[in-house]
Amino acid sequence: MNNNEILLKVENLKVWFEIRKTIISQPLYVKAVDGVNFELKKGETISLVGESGSGKTTLGRTILRLYEPTDGKILFEDKDITNLPFKELNWYRKETGFVQQDPFGALAPHFSVYRILEEPLIINKIGTPESRKEMIIKALEEVKLTPVSDFINKYPHMLSGGQMQRVVIARALIMKPKLIVADEPVSMLDASVRIEILDLLRDIQMNHNMSLIYITHDLATVRAFSDWIFIMYAGNLVERAKTDELLSNPLHPYTKALLSAIPDPDPSNRFKLREVPPGEPPNLINPPEGCRFHPRCSFAMEICKKEEPKEINIAKDHWVKCWLYKEG
Amino acid sequence: MADVVLKLENFSVSYKTQKGSLEAVRNVSFELKEGETLAIVGESGCGKSSLARGILRLFPRNLEKTSGKIYLDGEDILSLKEDNFRKNILWSKISMVFQGAMNSLNPVLKVVYQVAEPLIVHMGMDKDSAFKRAKEMLSLVGISESFAERYPFELSGGMKQRVVIAMALVTHPKVVILDEPTSALDVITQANILNLLKVLKKELNLTYIFITHDIATTSELADKVAVMYAGEIVELSPAENFYNSPAHGYTMMLLNSVPTLKTTKKLKSIPGSPPSLISPPKGCRFHPRCQYVMDICREKEPPMFKKGEEHFAKCYIGESHE
Ligand SMILES: Nc1ncnc2c1ncn2[C@@H]1O[C@H](COP(=O)(O)OP(=O)(O)OP(=O)(O)O)[C@@H](O)[C@H]1O
Ligand SMILES: Nc1ncnc2c1ncn2[C@@H]1O[C@H](COP(=O)(O)OP(=O)(O)OP(=O)(O)O)[C@@H](O)[C@H]1O
Ligand code: SF4
Ligand code: SF4
Ligand SMILES: [Mg+2]
Ligand SMILES: [Mg+2]
């Protein structure tokens, strides 16, 4: 297996949502993803981290072509899939898997866990009823929904939040796709199960040379888990680097603020308020001119208010989009 | 000393399933004083949401039975008739922010309507006063007048969570149950929301039950911590003891599995998987996974031992027993 092969290439990707307040009013655009570039190699994991509402889910869904891109390019194994019509995407659905962010809406309410997991196998004509049953039991064991017999006939409303999340993960893994986008796959799980499930994802991923885009708010788990960290703010990737590099040498002011906001358990925390950057994240319909972080940035300079910084390659495997830094 | 607002005595909830009765909450007892915050932590599926929903009587259709007592300001509310409970307790005295609620805001309704809805639907308030109160509440949680008129998709994740919090507070309840209120947010937004909850708690003298699986955020609010395992509260203690002198085998192992960015310690996940709630293990329910297990743990269910001032745990560690 060639581990340097590029699986996915994203160029200047934009995803804008059109909204109209009333039928006759001018359309407005929510610029949820606004000019994103990166490459993902086979077998690699990217952790995509960032502000709530910065466009992580939109980026993930667009890569899977669950959303239509507005502009830019998506190449999967060198095939341009940017504008393939939905009905020509069946092969791509088989190659990719998606773990949705909100498990409460992700599972068909009138399907049992068994049926939920069998569905993709049936659609893709995989196995016999008996071999499918084996696969399903194995998948449930892998995500620790055990004893399997307690869960296999349950309906989604009979599961806890974290249990639903694991069914969603099992469903994405059962097809052994080449690329998985896992959107907050373990946000409802406690630390112990979380690590186990992430280890599991990591194992399956390595065994099958899968690539993974792991969207998360949990910076504490990314160190052990990913090759790359991408930081997203207001529709842009503001910094991306190899995991150790980013954690030991964060450059973008937003990245620094994010890293320093990670809470440490200490029972005296409850007596004080936390320090956070002032202001709210920007409105993506009319994002701030220049650098989108400038209204909240304590390093902001004149140029930051007027001109958008370019993404520069500051060191090997390290890019940043900020006027504080120069190429090379 | 503040009064006890909420008191649970041996509260249990069970569901009917194909394989028999599933006891999601078993003999839960605790007391909360006015202005106090109780955090409930525990593994996925251990019964946290069932406990919370049970207090509010928001049961699924396959409820089998509940038992025990729940007192609010000294009044036994579990024995109240359904309509009386809905009219006088639910939302008006105890309200809740549901797990995942910010993603289930109605996409085609302006947020101010959604915040006003509990007042109109549950409390029979007229529309104008309800909107007025909703706007006040939104501004209290940091959402300005202009955002009140917007739709959910126009708000950031943190703002949506503020809206959901405003919905729970708009009826001026005494007790608010928060089920994983920050687990979907980035750490900066999370810190913002926790700050907001701290301020509101002080200003409105709120009593919180704060459900989370995140040990670090627990420390941001909790005065007391209840650790749940397999439907039971296995340890109840002041927050300081929870972090510094845990007394139950599960709590000790849980604290060892918590990652922090600042350390690179090797994390130890807890081996095995959560027990079946339909046929839970005998003796201590945690014994098949406990690294401190003793013979007695396999045989005899541990009682709640007193481990210190206001500190209780169902665990034999440190106890002499025959
Ligand atoms: N279908 C849609 N129509 C209009 N706006 C949308 C739509 N979907 C998302 N948005 C907006 O696009 C922006 C990015 O949303 P997205 O869900 O991608 O963010 P996110 O980074 O995943 O956030 P979170 O961390 O809260 O999950 C948000 O401002 C959101 O309100
Ligand atoms: N309606 C139901 N019927 C049968 N079993 C149920 C039902 N609702 C929940 N359960 C089971 O009861 C147990 C407790 O569920 P609950 O939702 O209270 O867990 P939780 O502690 O909130 O978990 P999480 O952290 O994952 O949200 C779980 O094992 C779940 O599968
Ligand atoms: S470009 Fe300017 S405003 Fe933006 S992050 Fe860098 S210093 Fe701050
Ligand atoms: S009672 Fe025994 S098995 Fe249970 S937690 Fe304590 S030491 Fe472990
Ligand atoms: Mg998202
Ligand atoms: Mg829950």
Side-chain angles (χ1 to χ4, degrees):
Chain A
M1 247 177 279
N2 181 352
N3 263 325
N4 277 318
E5 247 176 276
I6 288 171
L7 179 72
L8 180 77
K9 197 168 169 157
V10 170
E11 288 171 14
N12 193 29
L13 188 67
K14 294 188 182 173
V15 190
W16 294 7
F17 295 110
E18 183 179 310
I19 52 173
R20 283 171 204 266
K21 294 241 152 157
T22 60
I23 305 167
I24 48 163
S25 55
Q26 283 291 314
L28 300 168
Y29 295 95
V30 181
K31 295 166 188 152
V33 173
D34 208 19
V36 159
N37 297 290
F38 70 90
E39 283 175 2
L40 173 60
K41 290 188 183 139
K42 288 198 175 156
E44 273 188 345
T45 299
I46 293 170
S47 288
L48 181 58
V49 190
E51 183 222 353
S52 301
S54 60
K56 302 181 297 298
T57 297
T58 306
L59 176 58
R61 283 180 169 262
T62 310
I63 287 167
L64 296 179
R65 281 301 319 275
L66 299 169
Y67 286 160
E68 298 255 9
T70 309
D71 196 11
K73 246 191 196 160
I74 307 170
L75 303 172
F76 182 84
E77 296 187 318
D78 286 332
K79 278 188 287 288
D80 187 340
I81 59 145
T82 322
N83 296 309
L84 280 186
F86 281 113
K87 57 179 191 301
E88 283 172 39
L89 280 166
N90 282 340
W91 66 270
Y92 191 54
R93 303 267 174 262
K94 254 190 266 185
E95 306 274 34
T96 54
F98 185 38
V99 179
Q100 266 138 294
Q101 174 165 17
D102 173 25
F104 289 92
L107 300 170
H110 48 280
F111 278 13
S112 66
V113 169
Y114 189 90
R115 182 72 198 279
I116 288 167
L117 296 181
E118 192 176 26
E119 193 74 1
L121 299 173
I122 296 177
I123 291 177
N124 291 298
K125 303 192 178 64
I126 292 171
T128 59
E130 293 75 40
S131 70
R132 286 201 290 264
K133 180 159 189 192
E134 262 170 50
M135 290 166 81
I136 291 165
I137 290 174
K138 180 143 178 287
L140 288 171
E141 281 169 353
E142 281 179 339
V143 294
K144 296 256 163 190
L145 286 174
T146 51
V148 168
S149 62
D150 275 13
F151 295 97
I152 201 159
N153 293 318
K154 276 193 166 174
Y155 289 84
H157 76 273
M158 300 175 172
L159 301 172
S160 77
Q163 290 165 348
M164 285 187 215
Q165 260 183 338
R166 282 176 279 171
V167 174
V168 181
I169 294 175
R171 181 177 61 184
L173 288 176
I174 206 160
M175 296 288 301
K176 304 279 183 279
K178 286 184 184 152
L179 170 67
I180 289 192
V181 174
D183 195 354
E184 304 273 10
V186 291
S187 62
M188 291 178 187
L189 300 175
D190 54 287
S192 164
V193 185
R194 187 178 280 202
I195 294 162
E196 260 179 283
I197 301 272
L198 291 176
D199 282 348
L200 161 90
L201 264 176
R202 190 87 178 141
D203 283 351
I204 299 181
Q205 180 206 355
M206 287 193 180
N207 293 340
H208 298 271
N209 207 31
M210 253 182 227
S211 304
L212 180 69
I213 298 178
Y214 170 50
I215 302 176
T216 184
H217 288 307
D218 182 17
L219 279 153
T221 55
V222 302
R223 180 199 290 272
F225 189 65
S226 57
D227 303 298
W228 293 88
I229 300 181
F230 291 7
I231 306 284
M232 195 155 185
Y233 186 82
N236 296 143
L237 293 180
V238 293
E239 186 163 5
R240 54 194 170 97
K242 280 276 168 80
T243 300
D244 289 337
E245 164 77 7
L246 191 122
L247 292 176
S248 57
N249 187 24
L251 296 176
H252 197 281
Y254 176 70
T255 311
K256 289 182 182 172
L258 199 62
L259 292 178
S260 64
I262 296 170
D264 254 338
D266 176 351
S268 70
N269 287 347
R270 70 185 193 273
F271 301 115
K272 45 190 191 263
L273 293 182
R274 298 269 299 281
E275 267 179 54
V276 285
E280 288 285 338
N283 170 348
L284 295 177
I285 297 173
N286 280 310
E289 294 271 310
C291 168
R292 292 181 180 185
F293 189 55
H294 88 252
R296 307 174 74 192
C297 179
S298 51
F299 303 92
M301 304 162 284
E302 266 321 298
I303 188 167
C304 307
K305 296 175 192 154
K306 297 190 196 101
E307 247 182 276
E308 184 178 340
K310 283 193 191 46
E311 182 175 59
I312 59 164
N313 189 196
I314 187 125
K316 187 173 183 293
D317 299 329
H318 196 160
W319 287 262
V320 63
K321 191 174 162 71
C322 169
W323 285 119
L324 291 174
Y325 304 98
K326 285 196 195 67
E327 198 109 25
Chain B
M1 187 132 244
D3 295 334
V4 172
V5 207
L6 185 72
K7 182 169 171 176
L8 269 69
E9 272 177 16
N10 293 322
F11 181 56
S12 304
V13 178
S14 58
Y15 303 133
K16 282 184 263 195
T17 76
Q18 282 188 358
K19 287 187 62 200
S21 165
L22 183 153
E23 205 173 12
V25 178
R26 180 168 188 251
N27 287 336
V28 163
S29 305
F30 62 80
E31 253 182 34
L32 260 181
K33 299 201 184 82
E34 186 153 26
E36 229 176 12
T37 297
L38 172 74
I40 300 180
V41 303
E43 232 166 3
S44 171
C46 70
K48 302 180 296 295
S49 298
S50 297
L51 170 59
R53 290 173 161 270
I55 295 172
L56 287 175
R57 292 198 197 175
L58 301 169
F59 297 118
R61 258 175 303 167
N62 61 333
L63 174 76
E64 186 177 72
K65 66 175 193 318
T66 61
S67 59
K69 294 251 184 313
I70 301 179
Y71 299 96
L72 183 76
D73 287 332
E75 184 190 8
D76 174 3
I77 57 165
L78 199 58
S79 61
L80 288 181
K81 286 248 169 54
E82 190 61 27
D83 57 336
N84 190 349
F85 182 84
R86 285 187 177 270
K87 228 165 92 200
N88 298 312
I89 307 288
L90 184 65
W91 311 124
S92 56
K93 296 263 176 58
I94 312 181
S95 72
M96 177 158 174
V97 174
F98 293 95
Q99 190 171 12
M102 74 180 227
N103 295 313
S104 44
L105 285 171
N106 187 337
V108 297
L109 214 55
K110 289 181 181 170
V111 296
V112 59
Y113 288 79
Q114 309 200 40
V115 176
E117 198 175 86
L119 294 172
I120 301 167
V121 177
H122 304 300
M123 299 183 72
M125 197 182 262
D126 69 87
K127 277 198 176 155
D128 286 346
S129 339
F131 286 144
K132 191 161 163 277
R133 172 102 77 94
K135 280 190 184 151
E136 285 164 12
M137 194 44 76
L138 280 166
S139 98
L140 194 64
V141 300
I143 294 195
S144 63
E145 188 98 2
S146 68
F147 277 95
E149 300 288 336
R150 297 196 189 189
Y151 296 91
F153 67 80
E154 297 177 271
L155 305 184
S156 69
M159 285 171 119
K160 278 190 264 185
Q161 193 60 31
R162 284 164 196 259
V163 170
V164 174
I165 291 170
M167 283 164 81
L169 293 180
V170 73
T171 51
H172 295 331
K174 292 188 99 158
V175 179
V176 185
I177 303 176
L178 303 152
D179 193 355
E180 304 273 11
T182 61
S183 63
L185 303 170
D186 69 81
V187 286
I188 293 177
T189 311
Q190 191 178 327
N192 259 319
I193 295 286
L194 290 167
N195 283 347
L196 171 70
L197 289 171
K198 287 182 208 182
V199 170
L200 291 172
K201 169 182 160 154
K202 258 215 180 123
E203 275 178 19
L204 309 175
N205 201 23
L206 294 169
T207 305
Y208 290 141
I209 297 179
F210 175 50
I211 297 176
T212 177
H213 58 260
D214 184 3
I215 304 299
T217 50
T218 304
S219 73
E220 296 284 335
L221 281 174
D223 300 307
K224 285 186 190 171
V225 180
V227 180
M228 272 186 96
Y229 188 80
E232 303 177 324
I233 290 188
V234 295
E235 180 159 5
L236 182 64
S237 68
E240 283 73 13
N241 298 29
F242 169 73
Y243 291 97
N244 302 325
S245 51
H248 191 279
Y250 171 63
T251 315
M252 296 176 192
M253 292 177 72
L254 179 67
L255 290 171
N256 280 333
S257 71
V258 177
T260 61
L261 199 66
K262 286 158 196 153
T263 59
T264 40
K265 70 173 177 190
K266 178 81 184 123
L267 298 172
K268 284 211 221 111
S269 68
I270 301 175
S273 30
S276 160
L277 293 176
I278 299 169
S279 46
K282 191 172 158 213
C284 168
R285 292 183 169 197
F286 187 55
H287 87 252
R289 306 169 69 190
C290 182
Q291 70 184 72
Y292 313 102
V293 61
M294 299 165 268
D295 287 341
I296 188 172
C297 310
R298 299 192 182 90
E299 297 304 323
K300 207 168 135 219
E301 183 182 335
M304 233 344 157
F305 290 105
K306 188 164 168 43
K307 302 283 184 176
E309 199 58 40
E310 297 195 52
H311 187 169
F312 303 90
K314 279 181 75 128
C315 175
Y316 290 116
I317 295 176
E319 302 295 331
S320 56
H321 45 265
E322 288 359 284

